[in-house]
Amino acid sequence: MLVYSLPWNLLPLLRCLEARSFKLKKLLRLHCSTSAVMAEWSWVAYTVLEVLIAVACCLGNVLVVCAVCIRDSLREPTFCFLASLAVADLLVGVAAVPLAVLLDGWVSLTPELCLLLSCVVLVLTQASVLSLLAIAVDRYLRLHTPLRYKALATQRRTWLAVSLCWMLSCLLGFTPLFGWNNYSSLALPDSANASSASFISPPCTFLSVISLPFMVYFNFLGCVMAPLLAMTLLYTRIFWSLQGRLKDSTPQAQASLLREKRLACSLALVLLLFAACWIPLHLMNCLLLFQGPQAVTPGTIYTGILLSHANSAVNPVVYAYRIPKIQQAYAQIWRRFFLWLNCCQGDTHVSRTIRDSKANQTERSGSGGKSTP
């Protein structure tokens, strides 16, 4: 039981201390030092990649939010839900990535604070899932109820649906705060007799406070897989309907249906990338629950975490290459940015010219005053 209660990076040290032979102990010390150096470099590489992903998340998703705000053609319900997804991805770069690095045993926090910070990551994941589900429902309604769609999908109802997605995300993501957690295992064995001054908070890690049964049964199966299956059915119905309508439609109507199909393909690609990036990490949690900590190596877990975070950085690139309206909005933003940059440089040049001319006039007036008898 002692071995399983220790972190993985301390197991080689334990073997070193238990070695009896001097030669074997020497070899194990060498192996331990080599493993420690490799682990340190692996953590450095992981941290650098997380920083790069966080920067990409922030820059790309700020661009998406600005695009939706400045373009009137992007005020449709689908793009409002897409902006909600971009906000969730932006918060991944701002909050989830830094928390993933900190909540790796590098900080000592109280169990309550550690649990609260860990739940923030769950809230952002759930917001992404529900935003994707809202997009799929919106495209389905647009295709199957075209006459009632404009009356149903008003701006007010759209933003109300976005607010509902975020409120439900908070409710589902903060569920561990209400009892389904590992808080009891981190409590002191005799809290009545222990003094608060002698209490040292243990290192804060995600799985030290979040229960693996919660992550597998509730979060993965209930909050991720169930919506993904619903979205798969919705997009299957959408593509099936579009394929049938394209065969029977007139040439004038085909252009509109082809645009609808292209947009649906782009949004389905976003859904596919989300599943491909997040399901591996959830499958690792399943292995940890059913087979124990020896089933998944730390390097594999770090790779799964990087892959899940990289999904938030990839989405703006997909929008740029696949959705023409967002391409045009990106071009408009960059044009405004470079125009503003040129104006700033021009203002700087003009102010510098004025300052130089004033300085020259001052020098001339000073020299003229000295030469006067």
Side-chain angles (χ1 to χ4, degrees):
M1 294 300 294
L2 177 61
V3 172
Y4 288 104
S5 64
L6 287 171
W8 286 314
N9 56 354
L10 292 183
L11 293 179
L13 181 60
L14 182 62
R15 297 192 187 99
C16 291
L17 296 176
E18 292 177 348
R20 295 182 180 179
S21 170
F22 176 76
K23 291 183 178 180
L24 180 60
K25 189 182 295 185
K26 188 174 181 180
L27 288 173
L28 286 176
R29 280 203 193 99
L30 180 61
H31 173 72
C32 288
S33 61
T34 305
S35 300
V37 171
M38 291 179 63
E40 183 178 352
W41 278 106
S42 299
W43 187 85
V44 170
Y46 165 75
T47 305
V48 170
L49 289 174
E50 285 281 41
V51 170
L52 293 176
I53 289 172
V55 172
C57 287
C58 294
L59 294 179
N61 289 289
V62 164
L63 203 61
V64 175
V65 175
C66 291
V68 175
C69 291
I70 68 171
R71 294 278 291 191
D72 293 335
S73 60
L74 295 179
R75 302 293 173 83
E76 299 176 6
T78 297
F79 295 107
C80 293
F81 294 126
L82 209 62
S84 173
L85 178 61
V87 170
D89 289 337
L90 172 63
L91 292 176
V92 168
V94 172
V97 171
L99 287 176
V101 176
L102 288 177
L103 302 184
D104 194 28
W106 294 97
V107 291
S108 295
L109 302 172
T110 61
E112 296 90 346
L113 182 57
C114 183
L115 180 61
L116 178 63
L117 294 178
S118 299
C119 288
V120 172
V121 180
L122 300 177
V123 170
L124 298 179
T125 305
Q126 200 58 49
S128 298
V129 173
L130 294 180
S131 297
L132 289 169
L133 180 59
I135 291 170
V137 172
D138 174 72
R139 301 321 296 176
Y140 180 82
L141 292 176
R142 182 182 178 88
L143 191 64
H144 287 84
T145 59
L147 298 178
R148 297 180 56 203
Y149 177 77
K150 287 188 176 180
L152 289 173
T154 60
Q155 280 284 332
R156 180 176 176 275
R157 289 178 178 175
T158 300
W159 290 115
L160 187 63
V162 170
S163 303
L164 185 62
C165 286
W166 279 92
M167 287 189 290
L168 190 56
S169 300
C170 292
L171 181 63
L172 296 174
F174 286 125
T175 299
L177 294 176
F178 302 105
W180 200 349
N181 53 54
N182 289 335
Y183 176 76
S184 58
S185 64
L186 295 177
L188 289 171
D190 189 6
S191 57
N193 297 327
S195 62
S196 58
S198 61
F199 174 70
I200 300 177
S201 299
C204 177
T205 61
F206 184 82
L207 289 180
S208 68
V209 289
I210 300 296
S211 169
L212 271 175
F214 167 83
M215 288 299 300
V216 172
Y217 297 122
F218 184 83
N219 187 261
F220 178 43
L221 297 179
C223 298
V224 175
M225 282 306 297
L228 284 179
L229 290 175
M231 285 182 268
T232 303
L233 292 176
L234 287 172
Y235 279 112
T236 302
R237 290 288 305 274
I238 289 171
F239 288 122
W240 184 272
S241 179
L242 282 172
Q243 196 66 27
R245 294 187 185 188
L246 282 170
K247 291 180 181 178
D248 303 329
S249 62
T250 61
Q252 291 81 5
Q254 280 187 353
S256 175
L257 290 173
L258 285 173
R259 285 195 300 269
E260 186 71 27
K261 185 177 180 180
R262 179 180 174 81
L263 180 58
C265 288
S266 303
L267 298 173
L269 177 61
V270 173
L271 173 62
L272 182 64
L273 288 173
F274 179 87
C277 291
W278 277 98
I279 287 180
L281 186 60
H282 284 289
L283 292 179
M284 293 177 203
N285 289 333
C286 295
L287 289 174
L288 290 173
L289 176 63
F290 296 119
Q291 297 187 13
Q294 72 279 1
V296 185
T297 62
T300 307
I301 291 180
Y302 285 144
T303 304
I305 294 172
L306 285 171
L307 187 62
S308 65
H309 292 163
N311 175 249
S312 298
V314 169
N315 284 338
V317 180
V318 176
Y319 306 151
Y321 278 97
R322 298 284 306 179
I323 304 177
K325 287 184 179 181
I326 293 186
Q327 289 176 2
Q328 296 167 6
Y330 282 178
Q332 183 179 351
I333 290 172
W334 285 116
R335 281 197 299 269
R336 288 186 180 183
F337 173 74
F338 287 120
L339 183 62
W340 173 81
L341 201 62
N342 289 332
C343 289
C344 289
Q345 290 178 349
D347 291 342
T348 304
H349 178 71
V350 169
S351 61
R352 188 181 303 164
T353 304
I354 294 173
R355 189 168 56 249
D356 292 342
S357 63
K358 286 183 178 180
N360 292 333
Q361 290 177 0
T362 304
E363 290 179 0
R364 289 175 183 173
S365 62
S367 60
K370 289 180 182 178
S371 60
T372 302

